[in-house]
Amino acid sequence: METLEKKAAEMLQKSEVVVLTSINKEGYPRPVPMSMIKAEGISTVWMSTGDTSWKTEDFRKNPKGGLCFYAQGDSVCMTGDPTYVILKFKANHATYWIKGKFIHRKV
């Protein structure tokens, strides 16, 4: 398990773009590609956005979100809560698909 999480953290460090998902006012997920500023391990990702962007408005109304990144056929998807305006996404669960292994667990 620790090896898979370590590989996921290495993937995240190499990622330039992540996909961040907010929940819009109609209740639909709204995924958008975001440039990643910094990652702390696997569970914390920093991005920047405008104070009046749709995603910021979405997160002010509903702090739940998702974040996904991928490389060479491997992927990690997480759920959690961001904080503003430099978005800090703090994951509480992750789904790993790395080298043909699938795991979903708390982070």
Side-chain angles (χ1 to χ4, degrees), residues 42-103:
I42 187 64
S43 65
T44 304
V45 179
W46 295 87
M47 300 152 279
S48 65
T49 190
D51 184 45
T52 59
S53 72
W54 283 2
K55 73 186 104 8
T56 300
E57 291 179 26
D58 290 345
F59 286 128
R60 285 189 173 127
K61 293 175 184 166
N62 181 350
K64 294 181 179 174
L67 186 137
C68 181
F69 58 95
Y70 58 92
Q72 301 172 348
D74 298 331
S75 66
V76 177
C77 296
M78 302 181 287
T79 57
D81 302 304
T83 52
Y84 318 104
V85 149
I86 287 191
L87 292 176
K88 176 184 178 184
F89 182 90
K90 180 74 174 159
N92 52 30
H93 288 86
T95 302
Y96 303 92
W97 176 259
I98 298 175
K99 304 290 184 218
K101 293 184 181 183
F102 173 81
I103 294 174

Side-chain angles (χ1 to χ4, degrees), residues 2-12 69 98-99:
E2 290 179 20
T3 303
L4 197 58
E5 191 169 312
K6 182 179 176 185
K7 288 180 182 178
E10 290 170 359
M11 281 174 49
L12 182 55
F69 58 95
I98 298 175
K99 304 290 184 218

